[in-house]
């Protein structure tokens, strides 16, 4: 991280004395100014009653931000596609790239590119849902184009109780805003949308296999939990699992993420969830590999997710990945299973034309869009 | 010494008569020939072939684009079919008449039919040329008429006022809503004895709007220099003066945003339409790995409209989605403004082509109003009516003059089209 020069800091201070604080986290003036504006709006807006003076609050917020607390945690929300999603410490902040992938998935589903799926009664399961942003956005995108979306079924699964709290909160907030809307606008059209949102639910379950799982856990496994719900089969499986290897976590991951976002949502081999030792992990990966994909530490969830997809007779899968090399490993893994008709890799912005500076993946896979490798999609 | 002496070239030509001027008068008005030009016929043939092909295509699979194209060219195809039918029947009659074995009764019947067949062919031919000539791009718009006095001082100002009253009377008679948008009266200092009325009618400038769809097409032939020859009210010695006034006819574009109809972004003809393929979208991505590795708050979106190079970037909102929507909104607005400007420039060009700097003189007239002979002559179509009052009162006579001009304009367009078709070959 290049050092901020004193003259630059002085210049920023002349514009606003709070900017040097924010520059510690933002590193460039434009985004620091934007963040200051958003923080000011927030401080003025929320503290009319409790604190009559908003300036101390703003200073406090800026101090926190200068230590690297994500702005999204300070403001309590992040925008995901067209939705505003509540988030806070203990849950992964929704990412713009995920929203692009999900929007593109919705448009491809509407075009019917993934075989004959009935969009009106589509069953979508999101594993490692976090704030619930993916099922909520997909619900928004799919329900607005269906004739009758009341049979649309979405389920979010997460292991963390904090994530489940935020997910149900977000669903409730969206429901409230829809109910408000239905009072003023055509209520008939919104009925299906509201009933499918009501039927959306979030459950707590663990995805990783019991053989490698810590014995003390009382969290149920995913498949038994689904059987308990009476819904063992699903059409679409989406997952944004933890995919950062512990080496990348130490090197490429930004400080704010490392220090403030939950490690359990980022690094799959987090010690307290499953693996007690590195050799155990290597043994497991070698076991699932079958020598084809050369899986690495960060890829721990993908073989398990593909097993689950088979068990749930899923027809379309979308997995978020870290980069093109991980995308290639996952794609090779999918191909080695020989149960999937096609595999595609999507970059950060799948709808934009490629600008040609991205690296090329291994293997002959179709790559769409511009930016880093972000998702792997497969369908039967 | 015996070499040929030098002779002045002019003397030589005069002696041999090489320079004798041929006193020929070229007809200034186009003769309306009934034969459709071969270039136009070729075009009609290709269009009707396309029509039949598209119709077949449409029968197999419905396609809105094909259907629309068929709608556009069906009038040409129908006119061409009529014309072919008329030609066939005429050739058949001619062959009957030429055949010596035809009996007398049939022959007399055929010869009586030839005339009607010929008129039918003529009608079909003119219908075909009309269908082929593309409509003026602004034909469906309402129009603005601007009248200004040109050469002739106060007399020209008086005549300009009379022209405005003429067009108002015409639109009143036809039931077209007309409104004077702006009137500037000239101060006529040399008013004669009973000149107060005339002074009121003396114009420096007037803009008349005729708010009827298609008014531009009906009146665009009026643009040009109108000449008047009469003894003016301001003249004391009874001499005939020649003065002129210029008339400009401009299309009147409906203003966006004032109407209650919603602006349509999807309509390619709308000012607000932006082809998404022409816009490059740049999203400020986080450098490095992205995804779970960073939690950027950068939501900036930049749109670049590639044909015009207009760039809009937006970073105010925390939501990238909202930034994108706002950026599109601004881009649409800027493009619409640019397009309106281009159109206004086009209108300006039109205005300049009507009245150039040196083209408002008495000689560059399009029409003469001669009070002495009670005559109105249009110099383009060569059409003359001897009903000056009828014209000035915006009556039937004016309409007849306008129709003759319209026919002349059509002729010019056909000629331009034929030369274009020939140039293509």
């Amino acid at each position: 991280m290049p050092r901020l020069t004193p003259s630059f800091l002085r210049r920023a201070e002349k514009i606003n004395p709070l900017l040097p604080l924010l520059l510690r986290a933002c590193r460039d003036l434009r985004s620091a100014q934007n963040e200051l504006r958003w923080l000011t709006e927030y401080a003025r807006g929320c503290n009319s009653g409790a604190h009559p003076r908003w300036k101390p609050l703003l200073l406090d917020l800026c101090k926190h931000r200068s230590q690297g607390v994500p702005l999204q945690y300070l403001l309590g929300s992040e925008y995901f596609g067209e939705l505003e999603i509540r988030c806070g410490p203990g849950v992964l902040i929704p990412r713009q790239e995920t929203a692009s992938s999900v929007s593109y998935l919705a448009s491809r589903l509407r075009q019917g590119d993934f075989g004959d799926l009935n969009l009106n009664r589509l069953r979508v399961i999101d594993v490692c849902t976090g704030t619930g942003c993916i099922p909520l956005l997909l619900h928004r995108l799919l329900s607005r184009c269906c004739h009758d979306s009341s049979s649309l079924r979405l389920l979010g699964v997460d292991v963390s109780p904090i994530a489940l709290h935020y997910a149900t909160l977000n669903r409730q907030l969206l429901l409230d805003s829809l109910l408000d809307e239905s009072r003023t606008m055509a209520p008939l059209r919104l009925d299906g949308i509201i009933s499918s949102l009501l039927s959306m639910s979030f459950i707590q379950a663990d995805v990783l296999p019991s053989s490698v799982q810590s014995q003390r856990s009382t969290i149920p496994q995913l498949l038994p939990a689904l059987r308990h719900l009476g819904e063992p089969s699903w059409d679409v499986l989406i997952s944004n699992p933890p995919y950062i290897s512990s080496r990348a976590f130490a090197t490429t991951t930004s400080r704010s993420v490392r220090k403030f976002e939950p490690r359990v949502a980022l690094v799959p081999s987090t010690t307290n969830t499953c693996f007690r030792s590195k050799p155990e992990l290597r043994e497991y990966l070698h076991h699932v590999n079958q020598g084809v994909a050369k899986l690495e530490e960060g890829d721990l969830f993908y073989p398990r997710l593909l097993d689950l997809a088979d068990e749930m007779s899923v027809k379309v899968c979308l997995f978020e990945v870290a980069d093109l090399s991980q995308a290639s490993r996952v794609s090779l893994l999918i191909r080695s299973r020989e149960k999937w008709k096609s595999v595609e890799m999507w970059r950060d912005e799948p709808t934009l034309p490629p600008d040609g500076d991205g690296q090329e993946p291994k293997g002959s896979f179709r790559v769409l869009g511009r930016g880093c490798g972000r998702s792997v999609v497969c369908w039967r | 010494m015996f070499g040929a002496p030098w002779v002045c070239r002019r003397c030589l030509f005069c002696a041999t008569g090489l320079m004798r001027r041929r006193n020929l008068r070229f007809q200034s008005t186009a003769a309306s020939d009934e034969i459709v030009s071969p270039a136009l016929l070729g075009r009609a043939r290709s269009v009707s072939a396309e029509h039949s092909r598209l119709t077949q295509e449409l029968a197999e699979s419905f396609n809105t684009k094909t259907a629309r194209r068929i709608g556009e060219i069906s009038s040409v195809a129908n006119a061409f079919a009529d014309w072919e039918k008329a030609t066939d029947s005429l050739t058949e009659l001619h062959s009957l008449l030429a055949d010596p074995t035809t009996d007398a009764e049939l022959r007399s019947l055929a010869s009586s039919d030839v005339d009607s067949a010929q008129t039918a062919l003529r009608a079909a031919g003119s219908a075909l040329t009309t269908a082929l000539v593309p409509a003026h791009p602004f034909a469906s718009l309402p129009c603005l008429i601007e009248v200004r006095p040109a050469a002739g001082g106060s007399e020209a100002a008086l005549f300009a006022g009379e022209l405005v009253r003429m067009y108002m009377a015409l639109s009143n008679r036809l039931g077209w809503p007309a409104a004077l948008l702006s009137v500037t009266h000239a101060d006529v200092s040399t008013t004669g004895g009973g000149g107060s009325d005339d002074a009121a009618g003396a114009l420096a400038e007037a803009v008349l709007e005729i708010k009827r769809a298609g008014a531009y097409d009906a009146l665009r032939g009026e643009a040009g220099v109108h000449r008047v020859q009469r003894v003016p009210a301001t003249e004391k010695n009874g001499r005939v003066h020649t003065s002129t006034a210029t008339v400009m006819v401009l299309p009147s574009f409906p203003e966006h945003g004032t109407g209650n109809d919603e602006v349509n972004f999807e309509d390619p003809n709308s000012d607000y339409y932006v082809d998404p393929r022409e816009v490059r979208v740049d999203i400020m991505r986080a450098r490095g790995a992205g995804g779970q590795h960073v939690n950027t708050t950068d939501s900036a979106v930049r749109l670049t409209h590639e044909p015009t190079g207009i760039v809009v970037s937006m970073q105010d909102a925390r939501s990238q989605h909202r930034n994108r929507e706002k950026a599109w909104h601004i881009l649409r607005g800027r493009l619409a403004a640019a397009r309106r400007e281009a159109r206004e420039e086009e209108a300006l060009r039109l205005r300049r082509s009507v009245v150039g700097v040196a083209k408002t003189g008495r000689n560059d007239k399009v029409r003469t109003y001669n009070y002495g002979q009670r005559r109105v002559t249009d110099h383009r179509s060569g059409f003359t009516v001897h009903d000056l009052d009828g014209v000035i009162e915006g009556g039937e006579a004016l309409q007849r003059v306008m129709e003759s001009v319209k026919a002349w304009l059509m002729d010019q367009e056909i000629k331009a089209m034929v030369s274009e078709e020939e140039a293509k070959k």
Side-chain angles (χ1 to χ4, degrees):
Chain A
M1 199 150 60
R3 182 168 163 268
L4 297 170
T5 59
S7 64
F8 178 60
L9 288 174
R10 272 200 302 276
R11 213 172 66 228
E13 196 176 10
K14 263 183 202 160
I15 301 171
N16 192 311
L18 290 173
L19 279 177
L21 281 178
L22 293 177
L23 275 173
R24 289 188 201 167
C26 301
R27 317 305 296 180
D28 74 296
L29 198 59
R30 189 178 54 85
S31 59
Q33 279 175 311
N34 278 334
E35 289 198 1
L36 181 63
R37 198 179 61 241
W38 297 326
L39 283 170
T40 315
E41 280 166 14
Y42 173 78
R44 276 173 191 260
C46 80
N47 277 42
S48 50
H51 299 257
R53 291 171 63 205
W54 56 272
K55 280 184 179 172
L57 177 80
L58 180 63
L59 181 64
D60 204 38
L61 288 171
C62 287
K63 275 183 179 161
H64 274 104
R65 182 73 185 119
S66 73
Q67 284 157 11
V69 179
L71 184 82
Q72 294 92 336
Y73 285 170
L74 291 175
L75 302 186
S77 72
E78 168 67 328
Y79 288 86
F80 189 72
E82 50 198 287
L83 301 178
E84 186 178 1
I85 299 284
R86 291 292 178 92
C87 60
V91 68
L92 187 81
I93 298 163
R95 304 291 200 256
Q96 303 284 3
E97 295 96 334
T98 314
S100 307
S101 292
V102 172
S103 311
Y104 188 55
L105 178 80
S107 71
R108 291 282 295 265
L109 279 169
R110 280 197 299 249
Q111 284 169 24
D113 285 357
F114 302 127
D116 51 338
L117 292 165
N118 186 356
L119 286 195
N120 285 332
R121 36 184 67 251
L122 199 68
R123 300 170 57 75
V124 183
I125 185 167
D126 178 38
V127 179
C128 310
T129 192
T131 53
C133 54
I134 294 176
L136 289 168
L137 180 63
L138 201 63
H139 172 265
R140 162 66 62 104
L141 294 172
L142 288 178
S143 62
R144 298 276 153 132
C145 73
C146 294
H147 304 297
D148 173 28
S149 59
S150 54
S151 327
L152 191 66
R153 167 80 170 123
L154 296 112
L155 177 73
V157 180
D158 207 289
V159 71
S160 148
I162 306 173
L164 287 177
H165 160 74
Y166 276 106
T168 41
L169 173 70
N170 280 321
R171 190 193 71 126
Q172 194 54 48
L173 289 173
L174 197 61
L175 202 57
D176 290 349
S177 74
L178 268 178
L179 286 170
D180 273 355
E181 201 179 323
S182 73
R183 265 181 218 117
T184 53
M185 281 169 57
L188 283 173
R189 228 177 63 78
L190 289 174
D191 268 358
I193 299 176
I194 290 172
S195 69
S196 61
L197 194 60
L198 275 171
S199 76
M200 182 193 292
S201 59
F202 297 95
I203 58 166
Q204 189 179 24
D206 202 345
V207 177
L208 286 181
S210 54
S211 63
V212 293
Q213 208 204 343
S214 151
Q215 298 301 312
R216 286 166 293 172
S217 170
T218 54
I219 301 167
Q221 278 289 299
L222 176 59
L223 282 174
L226 288 179
R227 253 177 258 127
H228 182 72
L229 269 179
E231 296 177 287
S233 72
W234 296 85
D235 296 327
V236 181
L237 170 74
I238 305 178
S239 186
N240 181 10
Y243 53 65
I244 303 178
S245 66
S246 46
R247 172 188 287 267
F249 188 71
T251 54
T252 57
T253 307
S254 75
R255 185 165 138 263
S256 160
V257 175
R258 216 163 51 222
K259 280 178 74 180
F260 295 96
E261 293 200 62
R263 196 182 156 109
V264 68
L266 300 164
V267 186
S269 58
T270 310
T271 45
N272 61 358
T273 55
C274 42
F275 298 103
R276 265 159 295 179
S277 65
K278 284 228 164 170
E280 204 177 321
L281 170 75
R282 259 185 237 119
E283 199 183 316
Y284 171 73
L285 283 175
H286 182 74
H287 167 67
V288 294
N289 250 347
Q290 294 137 359
V292 190
K294 292 202 169 51
L295 291 186
E296 290 172 12
E297 187 200 338
D299 312 335
L300 186 63
F301 269 74
Y302 299 107
R304 179 65 189 147
L305 286 170
L306 285 169
D307 287 343
L308 285 173
D310 289 342
E311 298 266 2
M312 298 187 288
S313 61
V314 164
K315 299 178 183 76
V316 183
C317 282
L318 170 78
F319 302 133
E320 186 168 319
V321 293
D323 50 23
L324 267 185
S325 63
Q326 188 169 40
S328 309
R329 291 197 299 273
V330 173
S331 303
L332 283 171
L333 180 72
I334 291 168
R335 190 179 272 179
S336 74
R337 298 264 172 144
E338 293 177 345
K339 283 171 186 161
W340 301 92
K341 198 176 86 186
S342 323
V343 185
E344 271 182 15
M345 299 180 193
W346 296 350
R347 294 177 190 266
D348 283 339
E349 289 294 330
T351 48
L352 299 184
D355 52 3
D357 65 342
Q359 78 250 51
E360 282 305 305
K362 280 183 236 154
S364 55
F365 297 106
R366 193 169 170 226
V367 188
L368 296 178
R370 180 191 295 175
C372 295
R374 189 54 58 216
S375 317
V376 175
V377 183
C378 59
W379 63 95
R380 299 188 200 262
Chain B
M1 177 125 190
F2 297 103
W6 178 84
V7 181
C8 160
R9 195 195 288 172
R10 177 173 288 180
C11 300
L12 190 69
F13 283 176
C14 283
T16 54
L18 279 176
M19 276 279 278
R20 191 172 301 150
R21 187 173 293 160
R22 288 169 298 169
N23 283 321
L24 283 181
R25 181 178 179 274
F26 296 104
Q27 195 162 16
S28 52
T29 54
S32 55
D33 48 352
E34 279 76 32
I35 302 155
V36 184
S37 102
L40 278 185
L41 266 187
R43 189 183 158 78
R45 213 163 266 138
S46 71
V47 165
S48 74
E50 187 190 352
H51 183 260
S52 57
R53 186 174 55 77
L54 286 180
T55 318
Q56 207 167 9
E57 217 170 83
L58 197 65
E60 281 159 16
S61 67
F62 184 79
N63 182 346
T64 9
K65 225 177 198 174
T66 321
R68 198 180 300 150
R69 176 74 188 145
I70 286 180
E72 280 168 12
I73 62 177
S74 63
S75 65
V76 176
N78 291 343
F80 184 64
D82 287 347
W83 183 83
E84 270 192 326
K85 212 194 278 172
T87 321
D88 282 350
S89 65
L90 191 64
T91 45
E92 205 171 304
L93 285 175
H94 276 307
S95 68
L96 263 180
L97 286 176
D99 193 357
T101 57
T102 316
D103 60 60
E105 199 180 338
L106 199 57
R107 189 181 290 271
S108 69
L109 271 176
S111 61
S112 66
D113 275 359
V114 162
D115 273 352
S116 67
Q118 248 159 359
T119 46
L121 179 63
R122 217 168 290 152
S126 67
L128 180 59
T129 41
T130 317
L132 271 172
V133 171
H136 193 278
F138 300 139
S140 62
L141 292 170
C143 73
L144 297 172
I145 302 178
E146 298 182 12
V147 184
R148 284 188 191 81
S154 53
E155 154 68 355
L158 287 176
F159 179 58
E162 262 161 64
L163 282 181
V164 171
R165 279 196 292 279
M166 175 176 93
Y167 290 123
M168 283 185 80
L170 175 75
S171 50
N172 277 344
R173 201 170 58 77
L174 296 175
W176 297 351
L180 268 173
L181 293 189
S182 85
V183 192
T184 316
H185 286 284
D187 46 322
V188 183
S189 51
T190 55
T191 41
S196 65
D197 282 348
D198 297 332
L203 277 184
E205 184 198 66
V207 184
L208 182 70
E209 186 181 27
I210 298 184
K211 282 188 203 159
R212 179 181 174 276
Y216 180 70
D217 194 40
L219 287 162
R220 73 194 162 104
E222 295 302 293
V225 176
H226 293 236
R227 178 172 76 166
V228 64
Q229 293 173 319
R230 64 178 174 191
V231 182
T234 50
E235 168 66 38
K236 295 189 184 78
N237 301 333
R239 286 173 298 194
V240 173
H241 283 211
T242 300
S243 321
T244 59
T246 60
V247 174
M248 279 185 257
V249 182
L250 301 170
S252 158
F253 295 104
E255 270 175 43
H256 285 295
T258 53
N260 48 8
D261 54 331
E262 211 171 300
V263 178
N264 191 357
F265 297 143
E266 305 303 323
D267 178 15
N269 301 322
S270 151
D271 267 355
Y272 288 85
Y273 177 76
V274 180
D275 191 344
R277 279 169 301 183
E278 293 177 346
V279 178
R280 198 179 72 225
V281 184
D282 290 306
I283 290 158
M284 309 303 163
R285 276 184 296 111
R287 284 169 297 279
Q292 289 177 2
H293 298 87
V294 286
N295 54 11
T296 177
T297 54
D298 212 338
S299 55
V301 173
R302 189 175 63 201
L303 303 180
T304 314
H305 188 248
E306 285 180 335
T308 55
I310 294 177
V311 179
V312 179
S313 65
M314 187 50 61
Q315 56 181 25
D316 290 354
R318 278 174 65 212
S319 161
Q320 197 186 72
H321 189 260
R322 199 161 303 158
N323 278 339
R324 190 188 289 240
E325 273 178 1
K326 260 192 190 168
W328 269 100
H329 183 78
I330 292 173
L331 181 68
R332 282 202 189 96
R334 285 202 192 155
L335 274 176
R339 283 176 193 167
R340 250 199 308 270
E341 258 167 41
R343 236 175 18 190
E344 268 154 27
E345 218 159 84
E346 170 73 19
L348 193 69
R349 203 185 53 72
L350 265 177
R351 178 190 300 237
R352 288 199 177 124
S353 73
V354 171
V355 187
V357 179
K359 277 176 129 186
T360 55
R362 292 175 178 85
N363 297 327
D364 303 298
K365 71 275 169 188
V366 297
R367 195 178 291 164
T368 296
Y369 302 76
N370 190 315
Y371 277 68
Q373 300 167 12
R374 317 300 300 164
R375 161 179 75 86
V376 174
T377 302
D378 196 281
H379 300 286
R380 295 163 298 183
S381 59
F383 185 81
T384 300
V385 282
H386 289 277
D387 181 12
L388 181 89
D389 292 331
V391 172
I392 283 295
E393 282 154 20
E396 203 83 46
L398 177 61
Q399 256 178 306
R400 268 188 285 144
V401 176
M402 279 165 58
E403 258 148 41
S404 78
V405 174
K406 226 176 167 184
W408 175 82
L409 276 174
M410 177 80 95
D411 254 14
Q412 295 301 103
E413 272 158 24
I414 291 168
K415 267 187 202 160
M417 244 179 75
V418 169
S419 62
E420 213 171 275
E421 292 284 326
E422 276 163 0
K424 264 189 216 163
K425 282 173 193 168

